[in-house]
Amino acid sequence: MLVTEQVPTAAESRGPVCCPTGLTAPLDRETAEDLARLLKAVADPARLQLLALLKASAAGEACVCDLTGPLGLSQPTVSHHLKVLTEAGLLTREKRGTWAWFSIVPGRLDEIAAVLR
Amino acid sequence: MLVTEQVPTAAESRGPVCCPTGLTAPLDRETAEDLARLLKAVADPARLQLLALLKASAAGEACVCDLTGPLGLSQPTVSHHLKVLTEAGLLTREKRGTWAWFSIVPGRLDEIAAVLR
DNA sequence: CAACTGCATCGACGTCTGTCAATGCCTTGC
DNA sequence: GCAAGGCATTGACAGACGTCGATGCAGTTG
């Protein structure tokens, strides 16, 4: 367990002073931004639907033409979301012939979920 | 404007079949938006830092004046982020005298993390 | 009561983001 | 080769978001 500095409550501290402030952020801004970028990739309804569709598909993969319909979004928009998910390491793209097949990277979602612990 | 045009899947369309799957969205748009709203509350560097600070604090709670310093943000901005986290059910606010004390709602983060499974 | 302090709200501003139509690239089939 | 289809990229635009200064409000202190 991580023992940080004792933070005297305002009730304990003398006078009207609230913050004796030895309090230092255990999570620096840069790291926080990296984590936020990762979470932002998932924090979108369309992308959540895409992940659900891929997870529910029999082979664990699907091409763009199968995903535009259920989402009710245009093809460029779906392509955009798939790119975001891929760049976040959540999906892999494999081009077979004319079609681009996307599949979920196993364990990656759990990695992101683990951040929130 | 919402484009509701039906896009025939590769299975239905002419030519070589791409995906025989009768793939239907298991996650409707409305539910997806609810989940996204929840995740968006956490997908921000400042709010992640706030959660980290609160988790690291001895009593598991802190007042606003203890949080503005480490974050390097103005007081109204920190207040705004705390409001977002509170409305997402991640924090509770308790006013004691002049100060507003925020503390983490136990288990709530795990609930959100569980969504990604 | 008056002055002060901690916090929330408001209004404004620049930036990021989701979306679409149009276009271009690449592969397949004739 | 040429036409057609699948997908990515571009450009544009509206809305959402993060941030701050100014202001307002509720307790506390003198």
Side-chain angles (χ1 to χ4, degrees):
Chain A
M1 162 179 232
L2 181 58
V3 178
T4 59
E5 25 212 322
Q6 180 82 358
V7 179
T9 64
E12 295 170 348
S13 66
R14 51 170 191 71
V17 172
C18 158
C19 331
T21 68
L23 201 57
T24 307
L27 188 62
D28 61 298
R29 178 77 188 190
E30 195 178 347
T31 306
E33 283 177 354
D34 287 341
L35 296 179
R37 244 185 302 273
L38 217 57
L39 289 168
K40 273 182 200 295
V42 189
D44 178 274
R47 294 196 279 273
L48 287 174
Q49 283 184 294
L50 285 174
L51 289 173
L53 280 171
L54 284 169
K55 247 195 305 192
S57 71
E61 61 178 10
C63 62
V64 182
C65 58
D66 278 324
L67 299 170
T68 49
L71 258 66
L73 296 174
S74 71
Q75 174 265 317
T77 301
V78 173
S79 209
H80 161 68
H81 287 304
L82 288 170
K83 184 180 181 183
V84 171
L85 287 173
T86 302
E87 287 177 343
L90 281 158
L91 301 183
T92 55
R93 190 185 99 112
E94 182 192 354
K95 188 153 189 185
R96 289 205 292 266
T98 313
W99 299 288
W101 292 85
F102 289 87
S103 50
I104 292 192
V105 172
R108 181 59 171 160
L109 260 179
D110 297 276
E111 268 184 53
I112 297 183
V115 168
L116 302 178
R117 291 283 153 63
Chain B
M1 308 244 177
L2 186 58
V3 178
T4 50
E5 161 196 359
Q6 264 297 39
V7 178
T9 66
E12 297 167 349
S13 65
R14 64 265 156 228
V17 170
C18 161
C19 325
T21 64
L23 207 55
T24 307
L27 189 62
D28 61 299
R29 179 75 186 190
E30 196 178 346
T31 306
E33 283 177 355
D34 287 342
L35 295 180
R37 245 185 301 274
L38 216 58
L39 289 168
K40 273 183 201 294
V42 188
D44 178 275
R47 293 195 280 271
L48 287 174
Q49 284 183 294
L50 285 175
L51 289 173
L53 281 170
L54 283 170
K55 248 196 303 193
S57 71
E61 62 177 10
C63 62
V64 183
C65 58
D66 278 327
L67 300 169
T68 49
L71 258 65
L73 296 175
S74 72
Q75 175 265 318
T77 300
V78 173
S79 208
H80 161 67
H81 287 306
L82 289 169
K83 184 181 182 183
V84 172
L85 288 172
T86 302
E87 287 177 344
L90 281 158
L91 301 182
T92 56
R93 190 186 100 111
E94 183 192 352
K95 187 153 189 184
R96 291 207 290 267
T98 313
W99 300 288
W101 293 86
F102 289 87
S103 51
I104 291 192
V105 173
R108 181 60 171 159
L109 260 179
D110 297 276
E111 267 185 53
I112 297 183
V115 169
L116 303 178
R117 291 284 153 62

Short mmCIF file of all heavy atoms in Angstrom, two decimals, chain A residues 7-71:
data_model
loop_
_atom_site.label_atom_id
_atom_site.label_comp_id
_atom_site.label_asym_id
_atom_site.label_seq_id
_atom_site.Cartn_x
_atom_site.Cartn_y
_atom_site.Cartn_z
N VAL A 7 -2.17 14.07 5.25
CA VAL A 7 -2.87 15.31 4.92
C VAL A 7 -3.70 15.73 6.10
O VAL A 7 -4.75 15.17 6.35
CB VAL A 7 -3.79 15.11 3.70
CG1 VAL A 7 -4.51 16.40 3.39
CG2 VAL A 7 -2.99 14.64 2.52
N PRO A 8 -3.22 16.69 6.83
CA PRO A 8 -3.98 17.15 8.01
C PRO A 8 -5.28 17.77 7.51
O PRO A 8 -5.26 18.59 6.61
CB PRO A 8 -3.09 18.23 8.63
CG PRO A 8 -1.79 18.17 7.92
CD PRO A 8 -2.02 17.47 6.63
N THR A 9 -6.35 17.36 8.06
CA THR A 9 -7.62 17.94 7.65
C THR A 9 -7.71 19.37 8.15
O THR A 9 -6.98 19.77 9.05
CB THR A 9 -8.79 17.15 8.24
OG1 THR A 9 -8.74 17.26 9.64
CG2 THR A 9 -8.70 15.70 7.85
N ALA A 10 -8.59 20.09 7.56
CA ALA A 10 -8.77 21.47 7.97
C ALA A 10 -9.18 21.54 9.43
O ALA A 10 -8.85 22.47 10.15
CB ALA A 10 -9.81 22.15 7.10
N ALA A 11 -9.89 20.52 9.86
CA ALA A 11 -10.35 20.48 11.23
C ALA A 11 -9.17 20.37 12.19
O ALA A 11 -9.18 20.95 13.28
CB ALA A 11 -11.30 19.31 11.44
N GLU A 12 -8.14 19.64 11.77
CA GLU A 12 -6.99 19.44 12.64
C GLU A 12 -6.03 20.62 12.62
O GLU A 12 -5.43 20.97 13.62
CB GLU A 12 -6.22 18.19 12.21
CG GLU A 12 -7.01 16.91 12.39
CD GLU A 12 -6.31 15.75 11.72
OE1 GLU A 12 -5.35 16.00 10.96
OE2 GLU A 12 -6.70 14.63 11.97
N SER A 13 -5.88 21.20 11.47
CA SER A 13 -4.90 22.27 11.33
C SER A 13 -5.32 23.49 12.12
O SER A 13 -6.49 23.72 12.38
CB SER A 13 -4.75 22.62 9.86
OG SER A 13 -5.95 23.18 9.39
N ARG A 14 -4.37 24.24 12.47
CA ARG A 14 -4.67 25.40 13.30
C ARG A 14 -5.15 26.56 12.44
O ARG A 14 -4.76 26.71 11.31
CB ARG A 14 -3.43 25.81 14.07
CG ARG A 14 -2.23 25.96 13.16
CD ARG A 14 -1.05 26.58 13.87
NE ARG A 14 -0.01 26.94 12.93
CZ ARG A 14 -0.12 27.95 12.05
NH1 ARG A 14 -1.23 28.63 11.99
NH2 ARG A 14 0.86 28.24 11.25
N GLY A 15 -6.00 27.35 13.05
CA GLY A 15 -6.46 28.54 12.37
C GLY A 15 -7.37 28.21 11.21
O GLY A 15 -7.77 27.06 11.04
N PRO A 16 -7.70 29.19 10.42
CA PRO A 16 -8.60 29.03 9.29
C PRO A 16 -7.88 28.40 8.09
O PRO A 16 -8.48 28.25 7.04
CB PRO A 16 -9.01 30.47 8.97
CG PRO A 16 -7.87 31.30 9.45
CD PRO A 16 -7.27 30.57 10.61
N VAL A 17 -6.63 28.07 8.27
CA VAL A 17 -5.88 27.53 7.14
C VAL A 17 -6.39 26.14 6.80
O VAL A 17 -6.52 25.27 7.66
CB VAL A 17 -4.38 27.44 7.47
CG1 VAL A 17 -3.66 26.71 6.36
CG2 VAL A 17 -3.81 28.83 7.64
N CYS A 18 -6.66 25.93 5.52
CA CYS A 18 -7.19 24.65 5.08
C CYS A 18 -6.09 23.76 4.57
O CYS A 18 -6.09 22.57 4.81
CB CYS A 18 -8.24 24.88 4.00
SG CYS A 18 -8.55 23.48 2.95
N CYS A 19 -5.15 24.33 3.84
CA CYS A 19 -4.21 23.51 3.10
C CYS A 19 -2.78 23.72 3.53
O CYS A 19 -2.12 24.62 3.07
CB CYS A 19 -4.31 23.82 1.63
SG CYS A 19 -5.95 24.37 1.16
N PRO A 20 -2.28 22.84 4.38
CA PRO A 20 -0.86 22.86 4.73
C PRO A 20 -0.06 22.35 3.55
O PRO A 20 1.14 22.51 3.50
CB PRO A 20 -0.76 21.90 5.91
CG PRO A 20 -2.18 21.53 6.27
CD PRO A 20 -3.02 21.82 5.08
N THR A 21 -0.75 21.70 2.65
CA THR A 21 -0.25 21.32 1.34
C THR A 21 1.13 20.73 1.32
O THR A 21 2.11 21.36 0.99
CB THR A 21 -0.15 22.52 0.41
OG1 THR A 21 0.86 23.36 0.89
CG2 THR A 21 -1.44 23.22 0.29
N GLY A 22 1.21 19.50 1.69
CA GLY A 22 2.36 18.75 1.24
C GLY A 22 1.87 17.92 0.09
O GLY A 22 2.60 17.12 -0.46
N LEU A 23 0.62 18.15 -0.29
CA LEU A 23 -0.05 17.27 -1.22
C LEU A 23 0.53 17.39 -2.63
O LEU A 23 0.42 18.43 -3.26
CB LEU A 23 -1.53 17.63 -1.26
CG LEU A 23 -2.46 16.52 -1.77
CD1 LEU A 23 -2.27 15.30 -0.91
CD2 LEU A 23 -3.88 16.99 -1.72
N THR A 24 1.11 16.32 -3.09
CA THR A 24 1.64 16.31 -4.45
C THR A 24 0.89 15.29 -5.27
O THR A 24 0.58 14.21 -4.80
CB THR A 24 3.14 15.94 -4.44
OG1 THR A 24 3.82 16.80 -3.55
CG2 THR A 24 3.71 16.09 -5.82
N ALA A 25 0.61 15.64 -6.48
CA ALA A 25 -0.12 14.74 -7.36
C ALA A 25 0.67 13.45 -7.58
O ALA A 25 1.80 13.48 -8.03
CB ALA A 25 -0.38 15.42 -8.70
N PRO A 26 0.07 12.30 -7.28
CA PRO A 26 0.72 11.02 -7.53
C PRO A 26 0.65 10.66 -9.02
O PRO A 26 1.29 9.75 -9.47
CB PRO A 26 -0.09 10.04 -6.70
CG PRO A 26 -1.43 10.69 -6.55
CD PRO A 26 -1.23 12.16 -6.64
N LEU A 27 -0.14 11.43 -9.72
CA LEU A 27 -0.30 11.15 -11.16
C LEU A 27 0.03 12.43 -11.92
O LEU A 27 -0.75 13.37 -11.93
CB LEU A 27 -1.75 10.72 -11.43
CG LEU A 27 -2.07 10.21 -12.83
CD1 LEU A 27 -1.29 8.97 -13.15
CD2 LEU A 27 -3.56 9.97 -12.97
N ASP A 28 1.19 12.44 -12.54
CA ASP A 28 1.59 13.67 -13.23
C ASP A 28 0.73 13.89 -14.48
O ASP A 28 0.13 12.96 -15.02
CB ASP A 28 3.07 13.60 -13.63
CG ASP A 28 3.35 12.45 -14.57
OD1 ASP A 28 3.14 11.28 -14.16
OD2 ASP A 28 3.75 12.69 -15.71
N ARG A 29 0.72 15.11 -14.91
CA ARG A 29 -0.16 15.52 -16.00
C ARG A 29 0.07 14.69 -17.27
O ARG A 29 -0.87 14.28 -17.94
CB ARG A 29 0.08 17.00 -16.30
CG ARG A 29 -0.74 17.55 -17.45
CD ARG A 29 -2.18 17.81 -17.01
NE ARG A 29 -3.04 18.18 -18.15
CZ ARG A 29 -4.28 18.63 -18.04
NH1 ARG A 29 -4.82 18.73 -16.85
NH2 ARG A 29 -4.98 18.95 -19.09
N GLU A 30 1.31 14.45 -17.58
CA GLU A 30 1.62 13.74 -18.83
C GLU A 30 1.06 12.32 -18.83
O GLU A 30 0.44 11.88 -19.80
CB GLU A 30 3.14 13.71 -19.03
CG GLU A 30 3.57 13.35 -20.44
CD GLU A 30 5.08 13.38 -20.59
OE1 GLU A 30 5.74 13.92 -19.68
OE2 GLU A 30 5.59 12.86 -21.59
N THR A 31 1.28 11.62 -17.74
CA THR A 31 0.75 10.26 -17.62
C THR A 31 -0.76 10.27 -17.68
O THR A 31 -1.38 9.43 -18.33
CB THR A 31 1.21 9.62 -16.30
OG1 THR A 31 2.63 9.69 -16.20
CG2 THR A 31 0.77 8.17 -16.23
N ALA A 32 -1.34 11.24 -16.99
CA ALA A 32 -2.80 11.35 -16.98
C ALA A 32 -3.33 11.58 -18.39
O ALA A 32 -4.37 11.03 -18.76
CB ALA A 32 -3.22 12.49 -16.05
N GLU A 33 -2.62 12.34 -19.17
CA GLU A 33 -3.07 12.60 -20.55
C GLU A 33 -3.00 11.35 -21.40
O GLU A 33 -3.86 11.12 -22.26
CB GLU A 33 -2.23 13.73 -21.16
CG GLU A 33 -2.63 15.11 -20.66
CD GLU A 33 -1.75 16.21 -21.22
OE1 GLU A 33 -0.77 15.89 -21.91
OE2 GLU A 33 -2.05 17.39 -20.97
N ASP A 34 -1.98 10.54 -21.18
CA ASP A 34 -1.87 9.28 -21.91
C ASP A 34 -3.05 8.37 -21.59
O ASP A 34 -3.68 7.80 -22.48
CB ASP A 34 -0.55 8.57 -21.55
CG ASP A 34 0.64 9.28 -22.18
OD1 ASP A 34 0.44 10.05 -23.14
OD2 ASP A 34 1.77 9.06 -21.71
N LEU A 35 -3.35 8.24 -20.30
CA LEU A 35 -4.46 7.39 -19.89
C LEU A 35 -5.77 7.93 -20.44
O LEU A 35 -6.62 7.17 -20.91
CB LEU A 35 -4.53 7.31 -18.36
CG LEU A 35 -3.34 6.64 -17.67
CD1 LEU A 35 -3.54 6.64 -16.16
CD2 LEU A 35 -3.16 5.23 -18.19
N ALA A 36 -5.92 9.24 -20.38
CA ALA A 36 -7.16 9.85 -20.87
C ALA A 36 -7.34 9.59 -22.36
O ALA A 36 -8.44 9.31 -22.82
CB ALA A 36 -7.15 11.35 -20.58
N ARG A 37 -6.26 9.69 -23.11
CA ARG A 37 -6.33 9.42 -24.54
C ARG A 37 -6.86 8.01 -24.80
O ARG A 37 -7.68 7.78 -25.68
CB ARG A 37 -4.94 9.57 -25.17
CG ARG A 37 -4.84 10.71 -26.18
CD ARG A 37 -3.49 10.72 -26.86
NE ARG A 37 -2.38 10.86 -25.90
CZ ARG A 37 -1.91 12.03 -25.47
NH1 ARG A 37 -2.46 13.13 -25.91
NH2 ARG A 37 -0.91 12.08 -24.61
N LEU A 38 -6.36 7.08 -23.99
CA LEU A 38 -6.78 5.69 -24.13
C LEU A 38 -8.27 5.54 -23.82
O LEU A 38 -9.01 4.89 -24.56
CB LEU A 38 -5.96 4.83 -23.15
CG LEU A 38 -5.55 3.45 -23.64
CD1 LEU A 38 -4.75 3.54 -24.91
CD2 LEU A 38 -4.75 2.76 -22.55
N LEU A 39 -8.70 6.15 -22.74
CA LEU A 39 -10.10 6.03 -22.33
C LEU A 39 -11.02 6.75 -23.31
O LEU A 39 -12.14 6.31 -23.58
CB LEU A 39 -10.28 6.59 -20.93
CG LEU A 39 -9.66 5.74 -19.81
CD1 LEU A 39 -9.63 6.49 -18.49
CD2 LEU A 39 -10.44 4.44 -19.65
N LYS A 40 -10.55 7.85 -23.86
CA LYS A 40 -11.35 8.60 -24.82
C LYS A 40 -11.67 7.73 -26.05
O LYS A 40 -12.73 7.89 -26.66
CB LYS A 40 -10.62 9.86 -25.27
CG LYS A 40 -10.85 11.06 -24.38
CD LYS A 40 -10.10 12.27 -24.94
CE LYS A 40 -9.88 13.34 -23.88
NZ LYS A 40 -11.10 13.97 -23.37
N ALA A 41 -10.76 6.85 -26.39
CA ALA A 41 -10.97 5.99 -27.55
C ALA A 41 -12.20 5.11 -27.35
O ALA A 41 -12.87 4.72 -28.30
CB ALA A 41 -9.73 5.12 -27.81
N VAL A 42 -12.48 4.78 -26.11
CA VAL A 42 -13.61 3.91 -25.80
C VAL A 42 -14.86 4.71 -25.43
O VAL A 42 -15.98 4.20 -25.53
CB VAL A 42 -13.24 2.96 -24.65
CG1 VAL A 42 -14.30 1.91 -24.46
CG2 VAL A 42 -11.92 2.29 -24.94
N ALA A 43 -14.66 5.95 -25.02
CA ALA A 43 -15.78 6.75 -24.50
C ALA A 43 -16.57 7.40 -25.62
O ALA A 43 -16.72 8.61 -25.68
CB ALA A 43 -15.24 7.80 -23.53
N ASP A 44 -17.09 6.58 -26.51
CA ASP A 44 -17.90 7.07 -27.62
C ASP A 44 -18.94 6.01 -27.98
O ASP A 44 -18.59 4.83 -28.11
CB ASP A 44 -17.01 7.38 -28.83
CG ASP A 44 -17.83 7.85 -30.02
OD1 ASP A 44 -18.31 6.98 -30.77
OD2 ASP A 44 -17.99 9.08 -30.18
N PRO A 45 -20.19 6.41 -28.12
CA PRO A 45 -21.25 5.42 -28.36
C PRO A 45 -21.02 4.59 -29.62
O PRO A 45 -21.19 3.37 -29.58
CB PRO A 45 -22.51 6.29 -28.49
CG PRO A 45 -22.02 7.68 -28.70
CD PRO A 45 -20.72 7.77 -27.99
N ALA A 46 -20.62 5.23 -30.69
CA ALA A 46 -20.41 4.48 -31.93
C ALA A 46 -19.30 3.45 -31.77
O ALA A 46 -19.43 2.31 -32.23
CB ALA A 46 -20.07 5.46 -33.06
N ARG A 47 -18.24 3.84 -31.09
CA ARG A 47 -17.12 2.91 -30.94
C ARG A 47 -17.48 1.78 -29.98
O ARG A 47 -17.02 0.64 -30.15
CB ARG A 47 -15.87 3.66 -30.47
CG ARG A 47 -15.37 4.63 -31.53
CD ARG A 47 -13.95 5.11 -31.26
NE ARG A 47 -13.85 6.18 -30.30
CZ ARG A 47 -13.94 7.48 -30.60
NH1 ARG A 47 -14.15 7.83 -31.84
NH2 ARG A 47 -13.82 8.39 -29.66
N LEU A 48 -18.28 2.05 -28.98
CA LEU A 48 -18.75 0.99 -28.09
C LEU A 48 -19.60 -0.01 -28.87
O LEU A 48 -19.50 -1.22 -28.68
CB LEU A 48 -19.54 1.58 -26.93
CG LEU A 48 -18.73 2.30 -25.86
CD1 LEU A 48 -19.65 2.96 -24.85
CD2 LEU A 48 -17.79 1.33 -25.16
N GLN A 49 -20.42 0.53 -29.77
CA GLN A 49 -21.24 -0.36 -30.58
C GLN A 49 -20.38 -1.22 -31.50
O GLN A 49 -20.64 -2.42 -31.68
CB GLN A 49 -22.23 0.46 -31.41
CG GLN A 49 -23.41 0.98 -30.61
CD GLN A 49 -24.42 1.71 -31.48
OE1 GLN A 49 -24.11 2.77 -32.03
NE2 GLN A 49 -25.61 1.17 -31.62
N LEU A 50 -19.35 -0.63 -32.04
CA LEU A 50 -18.45 -1.38 -32.91
C LEU A 50 -17.79 -2.52 -32.14
O LEU A 50 -17.71 -3.66 -32.62
CB LEU A 50 -17.37 -0.45 -33.48
CG LEU A 50 -17.83 0.48 -34.60
CD1 LEU A 50 -16.72 1.45 -34.99
CD2 LEU A 50 -18.28 -0.32 -35.81
N LEU A 51 -17.32 -2.22 -30.95
CA LEU A 51 -16.69 -3.26 -30.13
C LEU A 51 -17.69 -4.37 -29.82
O LEU A 51 -17.36 -5.55 -29.86
CB LEU A 51 -16.14 -2.65 -28.85
CG LEU A 51 -14.92 -1.75 -29.01
CD1 LEU A 51 -14.55 -1.07 -27.70
CD2 LEU A 51 -13.73 -2.56 -29.53
N ALA A 52 -18.92 -3.97 -29.50
CA ALA A 52 -19.94 -4.96 -29.18
C ALA A 52 -20.24 -5.84 -30.39
O ALA A 52 -20.39 -7.07 -30.26
CB ALA A 52 -21.22 -4.26 -28.72
N LEU A 53 -20.31 -5.22 -31.56
CA LEU A 53 -20.58 -5.98 -32.77
C LEU A 53 -19.46 -6.99 -33.04
O LEU A 53 -19.72 -8.15 -33.38
CB LEU A 53 -20.70 -5.03 -33.97
CG LEU A 53 -22.04 -4.32 -34.12
CD1 LEU A 53 -21.95 -3.25 -35.19
CD2 LEU A 53 -23.12 -5.33 -34.47
N LEU A 54 -18.24 -6.55 -32.88
CA LEU A 54 -17.11 -7.44 -33.15
C LEU A 54 -17.05 -8.57 -32.13
O LEU A 54 -16.74 -9.71 -32.46
CB LEU A 54 -15.80 -6.64 -33.14
CG LEU A 54 -15.59 -5.81 -34.40
CD1 LEU A 54 -14.42 -4.85 -34.23
CD2 LEU A 54 -15.33 -6.73 -35.59
N LYS A 55 -17.37 -8.21 -30.87
CA LYS A 55 -17.34 -9.25 -29.84
C LYS A 55 -18.44 -10.27 -30.08
O LYS A 55 -18.29 -11.45 -29.75
CB LYS A 55 -17.50 -8.62 -28.46
CG LYS A 55 -16.27 -8.74 -27.61
CD LYS A 55 -16.52 -8.44 -26.15
CE LYS A 55 -17.15 -7.11 -25.88
NZ LYS A 55 -17.12 -6.74 -24.45
N ALA A 56 -19.55 -9.83 -30.65
CA ALA A 56 -20.69 -10.72 -30.85
C ALA A 56 -20.58 -11.52 -32.14
O ALA A 56 -21.29 -12.51 -32.31
CB ALA A 56 -21.98 -9.91 -30.84
N SER A 57 -19.75 -11.07 -33.04
CA SER A 57 -19.65 -11.77 -34.33
C SER A 57 -19.02 -13.14 -34.13
O SER A 57 -18.18 -13.35 -33.27
CB SER A 57 -18.82 -10.94 -35.30
OG SER A 57 -17.47 -10.95 -34.90
N ALA A 58 -19.46 -14.05 -34.96
CA ALA A 58 -19.07 -15.45 -34.80
C ALA A 58 -17.55 -15.62 -34.87
O ALA A 58 -16.95 -16.25 -34.00
CB ALA A 58 -19.74 -16.30 -35.88
N ALA A 59 -16.95 -15.03 -35.89
CA ALA A 59 -15.52 -15.24 -36.08
C ALA A 59 -14.68 -14.22 -35.32
O ALA A 59 -13.47 -14.23 -35.37
CB ALA A 59 -15.19 -15.19 -37.57
N GLY A 60 -15.36 -13.31 -34.62
CA GLY A 60 -14.64 -12.28 -33.91
C GLY A 60 -14.06 -11.23 -34.83
O GLY A 60 -13.20 -10.46 -34.44
N GLU A 61 -14.55 -11.21 -36.03
CA GLU A 61 -14.08 -10.21 -36.98
C GLU A 61 -15.19 -9.82 -37.94
O GLU A 61 -16.18 -10.53 -38.08
CB GLU A 61 -12.87 -10.73 -37.76
CG GLU A 61 -13.19 -11.96 -38.58
CD GLU A 61 -11.99 -12.43 -39.38
OE1 GLU A 61 -10.89 -11.92 -39.15
OE2 GLU A 61 -12.17 -13.30 -40.25
N ALA A 62 -15.02 -8.67 -38.58
CA ALA A 62 -16.02 -8.18 -39.51
C ALA A 62 -15.38 -7.15 -40.43
O ALA A 62 -14.35 -6.57 -40.10
CB ALA A 62 -17.20 -7.57 -38.77
N CYS A 63 -16.00 -6.95 -41.59
CA CYS A 63 -15.51 -5.93 -42.49
C CYS A 63 -16.42 -4.70 -42.40
O CYS A 63 -17.53 -4.78 -41.86
CB CYS A 63 -15.43 -6.44 -43.92
SG CYS A 63 -17.02 -6.91 -44.59
N VAL A 64 -15.95 -3.61 -42.90
CA VAL A 64 -16.64 -2.33 -42.75
C VAL A 64 -18.07 -2.39 -43.26
O VAL A 64 -18.98 -1.84 -42.63
CB VAL A 64 -15.86 -1.22 -43.50
CG1 VAL A 64 -16.55 0.12 -43.33
CG2 VAL A 64 -14.44 -1.16 -43.00
N CYS A 65 -18.27 -3.10 -44.36
CA CYS A 65 -19.59 -3.10 -44.99
C CYS A 65 -20.63 -3.75 -44.09
O CYS A 65 -21.82 -3.50 -44.22
CB CYS A 65 -19.54 -3.81 -46.33
SG CYS A 65 -18.96 -5.51 -46.22
N ASP A 66 -20.19 -4.57 -43.14
CA ASP A 66 -21.13 -5.20 -42.22
C ASP A 66 -21.40 -4.33 -41.01
O ASP A 66 -22.31 -4.62 -40.22
CB ASP A 66 -20.56 -6.54 -41.73
CG ASP A 66 -20.81 -7.64 -42.75
OD1 ASP A 66 -21.88 -7.61 -43.38
OD2 ASP A 66 -19.94 -8.49 -42.91
N LEU A 67 -20.62 -3.29 -40.85
CA LEU A 67 -20.74 -2.48 -39.64
C LEU A 67 -21.48 -1.17 -39.86
O LEU A 67 -22.07 -0.62 -38.93
CB LEU A 67 -19.34 -2.18 -39.09
CG LEU A 67 -18.53 -3.43 -38.71
CD1 LEU A 67 -17.08 -3.09 -38.40
CD2 LEU A 67 -19.16 -4.14 -37.52
N THR A 68 -21.48 -0.70 -41.08
CA THR A 68 -22.16 0.56 -41.36
C THR A 68 -23.67 0.43 -41.16
O THR A 68 -24.30 1.34 -40.63
CB THR A 68 -21.89 1.03 -42.79
OG1 THR A 68 -22.11 -0.04 -43.68
CG2 THR A 68 -20.47 1.53 -42.93
N GLY A 69 -24.23 -0.70 -41.56
CA GLY A 69 -25.67 -0.90 -41.45
C GLY A 69 -26.19 -0.80 -40.03
O GLY A 69 -26.98 0.08 -39.72
N PRO A 70 -25.73 -1.68 -39.13
CA PRO A 70 -26.22 -1.67 -37.75
C PRO A 70 -26.00 -0.33 -37.04
O PRO A 70 -26.78 0.01 -36.15
CB PRO A 70 -25.39 -2.77 -37.09
CG PRO A 70 -24.98 -3.67 -38.19
CD PRO A 70 -24.82 -2.80 -39.39
N LEU A 71 -24.97 0.40 -37.40
CA LEU A 71 -24.68 1.65 -36.69
C LEU A 71 -25.52 2.81 -37.22
O LEU A 71 -25.73 3.79 -36.52
CB LEU A 71 -23.20 1.99 -36.81
CG LEU A 71 -22.37 1.68 -35.56
CD1 LEU A 71 -22.33 0.18 -35.32
CD2 LEU A 71 -20.98 2.25 -35.68
#
